[in-house]
Amino acid sequence: MNDGAYVGRSAIRREGSDKVTGKLAYVDDLILPGMIHGVTVRSPIARAKIKSITFAPGVPWAEITVVGPKDLPGPNVVKLIDVDQPLLADGEVRHCDEPILLLAHPDRAVAERARELVKLELEPLPAVFDLDAAIRGDVVVWGTDNLFREYRVNHGDVDAAMREPGVMVLEGTYDTGAQEQMYIEPQGMIAEYDAATGVTVRGSLQCPYYVHAALLALFELPPEKIRVIQAATGGGFGGKEEYPSIIAAHAAVLARKAGRPVKMIYDRIEDVMATTKRHPSRTTVRTAFTADGTMLAADIDFIIDGGAYLTLSPVVLSRGTIHAAGPYRWPSIRIRSRAIATSHPPHGAFRGFGAPQSVFALERHLDRVATRLHIDPAELRRKNLLRQGDRTSVGQVITEPIDLDLVLDRALAMSDWTAKRARFDTENANGGPLRRGIGLSFFYHGAGFTGSGEVYLASVARTEATRDGRVRVLTANCEIGQGTTTVFSQIAADGAGVPIDRIDIVAPDTALVPNSGPTVASRTTMVVGQLVRDAAAMLRSKLVLAELLAEDGDADAFARAAATYIDRHGELTAVARYSPPEGIAWDDKKFEGDAYAAYAWAAYIAEVTVDLRTAEVRVDDFVAVQEAGRIVNPTMAMGQIEGGVAQGIGWAIYERVVWKDGRVKNPQMTNYIIPTAVDTPPIRVEFVPPFLAEAALSKGIGELPMDGPAPAVLAAVAHATGTEPLEIPMLPEQLMTILEAHHG
Amino acid sequence: MNDGAYVGRSAIRREGSDKVTGKLAYVDDLILPGMIHGVTVRSPIARAKIKSITFAPGVPWAEITVVGPKDLPGPNVVKLIDVDQPLLADGEVRHCDEPILLLAHPDRAVAERARELVKLELEPLPAVFDLDAAIRGDVVVWGTDNLFREYRVNHGDVDAAMREPGVMVLEGTYDTGAQEQMYIEPQGMIAEYDAATGVTVRGSLQCPYYVHAALLALFELPPEKIRVIQAATGGGFGGKEEYPSIIAAHAAVLARKAGRPVKMIYDRIEDVMATTKRHPSRTTVRTAFTADGTMLAADIDFIIDGGAYLTLSPVVLSRGTIHAAGPYRWPSIRIRSRAIATSHPPHGAFRGFGAPQSVFALERHLDRVATRLHIDPAELRRKNLLRQGDRTSVGQVITEPIDLDLVLDRALAMSDWTAKRARFDTENANGGPLRRGIGLSFFYHGAGFTGSGEVYLASVARTEATRDGRVRVLTANCEIGQGTTTVFSQIAADGAGVPIDRIDIVAPDTALVPNSGPTVASRTTMVVGQLVRDAAAMLRSKLVLAELLAEDGDADAFARAAATYIDRHGELTAVARYSPPEGIAWDDKKFEGDAYAAYAWAAYIAEVTVDLRTAEVRVDDFVAVQEAGRIVNPTMAMGQIEGGVAQGIGWAIYERVVWKDGRVKNPQMTNYIIPTAVDTPPIRVEFVPPFLAEAALSKGIGELPMDGPAPAVLAAVAHATGTEPLEIPMLPEQLMTILEAHHG
């Protein structure tokens, strides 16, 4: 095995040229004969009985395919963790923009006009948007108590620690807002239906086998009669994890009724209004510290707003809970976490998956503790960081030889932390409208699913060699801009010992590729990448064992050997199936054990200028230092970190979802503001050398950079202004109020 | 007749509410059963032989309607002044983006994709884009000499005047660029074809009977089997004068072949690349003045670039020629004007119609004369302005009691001309990067067609009363944002002596309304408005003569009388037909006589700041003073002037059409920059009282404000910088070169 010829080097993005030249076909670029366009009629109000649906004149209704709940071929549910969510509201709507009816016409403009002419008579029912009101049960919108899921963690004696003499107890409540994924390409799907061959959908998605499972449940057909193909996908960030199942199902039932292929493409407004976002959260943190800054105990109450249906909220809650205590040594820890039902559109998967919310609360809180104890915030963290052999809050013993001091020290050095902090203090004391600040966060993020999750998935990757010595890699993992195709090519090239241009990554298509699990949870490189390497290496092993190829045979020798092997056996393929690392055990019931096979560790530092006159915050500089194993493609990994930092800065100070009566009022890029290149500071990314020298592949890095920016930026704002902002997004409107209260 | 109840007051825009609430249906909002979408395959190169056309795979071609020259039902020509232009290029293309083939499909996206898959094999032929090269005949692209049309004006002895002792002779050449109309709504049309009822088109247009005439020539059907309906139209500015005939014909032949209604809507890029623009021009002006600033003679050579086909260029050239000498007393004058063929897409109608080009040259030149004679530019004009009884350059004696001093004086007073001019001189002498300047233009603009034009049109307006006393006004004149509906309502209400809310303006539809001529040439209010007034007054006269109504009967009495009249006679209608004012005579052959029945007169003053570091020009203030008869609706008239000034500023310093090999390279609003509200100065509009106290209605004001801004702004730039810019558009890139040459 030519280990290391590609892994660790910045191979060029394999689909990059097709992207920049416009050759790549996204779903909206695909045209099928006879194809028509589907649109969705949605509820304008949050909770109501559907009294009647009528069709006003203005379009040729006879030309239009109409699908309601009665037209579904199987159960009217979105198959996910629970089955509480209908594909089309039947009799009652539970959130704004919930789908009610589907229409299709050959002319998209006609379908859109028809949608406006469907008249809904809705009788409003009480709705609830406020988390506290939902918890109190002022209005019950789900089950008997609006409680989707609750977890508890308990270790040591938190109450006793809080009562110890001389300890500093501090409590705070920290809020985070919803966040829109704002992938550049909105949701879209084309479906075909044929009685003989079944359902075929192709579209913008992260998880082909999730869509496959949802269609299987709806159409009640044998698995081979459901085919899901990923089209080129313009970003996901989690937003294309669960929602594509709905749009695929909608397009497919329209196609079945119309007898023609149906394309459904959401425009930006519909996409932002109707699809999932990051869960808003409220976290109350109470801690006990000794006067020298040693952690004694933490009591954390973590709540997320799940919206009107359960969707993935239990899993998001679980991730947020596991990360809530941070990479620190808490002698005593108690966590209670709850996912609550409200009348918002369901919240769902988004990069970080609950962890950014709980990490924000804890890190913001630790900064406030440092201020009160007059300890440098970096030194407060250092004193309490996990060391090899320590236990996490859920009881996982860290066996890896971690050196978190190294991570912290690199960040402090790169940002000139100590000198800048002192200088800004002096300058700010001199007054003037522009104040500067520097702030830090320290955090970790588990890679892949929790232990039991990966065991349950039992992912499979497959490789095939061709007679001309090419290696095809078959997985269900999707290129969504993050680099799967390139990284898998590097890994497979090293595994099979052939040049990267001999590798073909087969585009995900459930008719062709095995189920290697979803493209989520920072698992693609770490978990599936390992399977790809093994399956690629197995091809060469088979040739060597068959004595057709020398151990170090080159690409041409490989091709000759493969041809011979295929002539003899008909094919040369290999399959690798996930098996959990030894000694990793997670107990879902007790919510305890080895949550993840590996963690990435990071210290992020932000530098800001705050204009006291306008309350505008500008991030001037950003340092992102992490340990994430052996980086497969440094350029692309840095890009991932930079993108995540930008998205985290957006969540912290730019992006605010405005709802009115549960409906999004700012669903456009002109009024929901994500940071552009102009708003984004220089982001200085460093990966410290792997803690495990023998590390084969990177730990996941997709989600990691989403956790740290918000607390670092808010800490810098706090430093600059002498205030204690407790919530995000912190737009000028919000900061202005805080500044006015503080500066008078 | 309750004269003056409405005319002269600012009635509220009648369609305003529907516009701001989105109720108004533009052509792209219209949906007809079975409707499909048409697109146009165009030439990517300027001049070529068409060798072959093939259809690449990628769309379901069997679903697509394809129309080429062979599919036309009649002659392959755009019927206008000449018949040189084909509806679809046949064998040869003569300009970039010339239509070659038409495609239609129920799905617009499929039609657009299909357009990309039509492969054209083109053999390039020599093309010519440079005016001088075209005049020299380096490449002949039209006729034998590229000369579309030539006019000559000659009065007095110019050559002798130039040779007189002591005169100051100055010559200069002045260039103006193309300008895109940039109406907010691009071109669009829906056509239906039925063997029994013929062709019906509805769309965005200014001149229903022009489209009617074009379709008549193409389909060779009786007139009643061609029906043209104006849809709500989002701006025209001349751009929807001749081009709609082409898109209507294209949509109609597609509809005929497909057997289904066809919608064709250009997107912005196609609209800017393929449709007409203002003619670029080059004018050489040579003048003789006495030392005290008295005009002796002018010799003007005016050339416009007509593009590849003749279209309306002769008429544009005529207008530009008539206005070329300005409202001045030239003892001797000689004008030669030529419209030249090049390989650009044909240039066409645009607000001002040639006059802005020749006015720019003359006014820019007069400013240079004033500088050399050390005379204030305002006083140079004053000394030479026309007075009652004077002759214009084409020999029209001004019989109206004009007082142009009044117009000039108001503008000077409103702008604080003298004081500011002195102050800016002092400030600029002190140096610094920001230089200020103030500049003036004086001009006139004829209203309506030239004398013979209106006689030839013989416009008709019609009115009808209903049994409930409402008055319907039927004309072919279009509301295109300029206020026709409101102004006609005011005029008809006064004419019939009923409240304005009893007036209904019938939307132009050739099946319903008479031919009142095109909506162009500032003729709607002055020429057709008079017919509307007459026809409305005739309704009342008929009732009074029938002794059913007292002279001063109110609206209810009018309704009762109308009901009785209609019961007796079946209908109450009236028709008014244009007859030329007495004593107005224009000789087309000699290019001499009474060019227009009336002129509006104006002095415009611009104030600018020029940043010497960036060469950016900012217009800080603008004064627009004019005499234009009796203003029908002051608020809307001011709006017309303001809009025209903004468009004129755009032409002067923002808007530059960039061609490469004859193809527009900046066809979007992001790279072809029109001024926004932010770029537009305060525009202070004043209408001085009518010169004729008995004036019934306004002279035309649509085109007037296009003439004055460019020379005023350039004069201000010249004043600010001490340079002599000779061409527009004067973007920072161009001004930078001039400043560098001047300031080193």
Side-chain angles (χ1 to χ4, degrees), chain A residues 203-227:
Chain A
S204 187
L205 53 88
Q206 299 180 214
C207 311
Y209 276 96
Y210 282 10
V211 177
H212 192 266
L215 294 176
L216 213 53
L218 171 62
F219 282 90
E220 298 176 332
L221 287 169
E224 69 276 12
K225 288 209 169 172
I226 304 286
R227 182 174 179 187

Side-chain angles (χ1 to χ4, degrees), chain A residues 31 33-35 37 59-60 63 106-107 109-110 113, chain B residues 31 33-35 37 59-60 63 106-107 109-110 113:
Chain A
I31 293 167
M35 186 181 78
H37 296 276
V59 289
E63 297 176 3
D107 186 338
V110 174
R113 179 70 184 132
Chain B
I31 292 166
M35 187 181 77
H37 296 275
V59 290
E63 298 176 5
D107 185 338
V110 174
R113 179 70 183 130

Side-chain angles (χ1 to χ4, degrees), chain B residues 488-688:
Chain B
F488 279 4
S489 297
Q490 292 176 258
I491 292 170
D494 281 0
V498 298
I500 197 168
D501 59 10
R502 300 275 173 110
I503 306 293
D504 296 313
I505 307 296
V506 175
D509 174 344
T510 58
L512 304 176
V513 302
N515 187 353
S516 60
T519 309
V520 303
S522 309
R523 64 184 294 278
T524 299
T525 299
M526 188 182 86
V527 177
V528 187
Q530 188 59 51
L531 301 180
V532 168
R533 166 182 284 258
D534 293 347
M538 250 181 274
L539 295 178
R540 171 168 285 262
S541 298
K542 286 190 180 187
L543 297 177
V544 172
L545 289 171
E547 298 189 350
L548 293 170
L549 180 64
E551 289 266 4
D552 59 352
D554 69 4
D556 292 339
F558 182 93
R560 285 191 301 273
T564 307
Y565 191 100
I566 292 167
D567 288 345
R568 277 188 206 160
H569 302 280
E571 62 173 20
L572 170 53
T573 67
V575 162
R577 183 180 299 270
Y578 177 80
S579 63
E582 266 176 60
I584 293 283
W586 170 257
D587 185 329
D588 271 320
K589 291 243 164 61
K590 291 191 190 159
F591 209 76
E592 197 177 275
D594 302 320
Y596 297 101
Y599 296 87
W601 314 86
Y604 282 10
I605 295 179
E607 195 182 310
V608 305
T609 300
V610 180
D611 189 328
L612 294 185
R613 298 164 298 194
T614 60
E616 279 174 297
V617 176
R618 159 135 210 114
V619 184
D620 300 317
D621 189 33
F622 203 96
V623 167
V625 177
Q626 45 262 308
E627 193 281 337
R630 184 168 174 216
I631 299 304
V632 177
N633 185 313
T635 297
M636 288 173 53
M638 285 173 70
Q640 278 260 46
I641 303 295
E642 289 169 7
V645 169
Q647 208 160 29
I649 290 173
W651 186 46
I653 61 171
Y654 291 109
E655 304 179 32
R656 185 175 198 86
V657 176
V658 179
W659 281 294
K660 188 172 177 225
D661 299 329
R663 194 160 214 208
V664 178
K665 301 308 284 182
N666 58 336
Q668 291 174 271
M669 285 180 138
T670 49
N671 48 23
Y672 180 88
I673 306 300
I674 63 171
T676 66
V678 169
D679 308 304
T680 310
I683 299 167
R684 298 187 282 141
V685 178
E686 183 162 304
F687 296 99
V688 301

Side-chain angles (χ1 to χ4, degrees), chain B residues 433-519:
Chain B
L434 299 180
R435 301 294 169 88
R436 298 183 70 188
I438 187 166
L440 165 141
S441 63
F442 202 100
F443 55 102
Y444 68 161
H445 200 102
F449 275 8
T450 53
S452 57
E454 290 292 349
V455 171
Y456 174 77
L457 273 176
S459 296
V460 171
R462 179 183 160 92
T463 54
E464 300 173 355
T466 63
R467 290 191 82 268
D468 56 352
R470 300 189 66 79
V471 171
R472 307 177 72 216
V473 176
L474 297 97
T475 78
N477 289 87
C478 294
E479 172 65 58
I480 55 171
Q482 87 284 43
T484 301
T485 300
T486 309
V487 165
F488 279 4
S489 297
Q490 292 176 258
I491 292 170
D494 281 0
V498 298
I500 197 168
D501 59 10
R502 300 275 173 110
I503 306 293
D504 296 313
I505 307 296
V506 175
D509 174 344
T510 58
L512 304 176
V513 302
N515 187 353
S516 60
T519 309

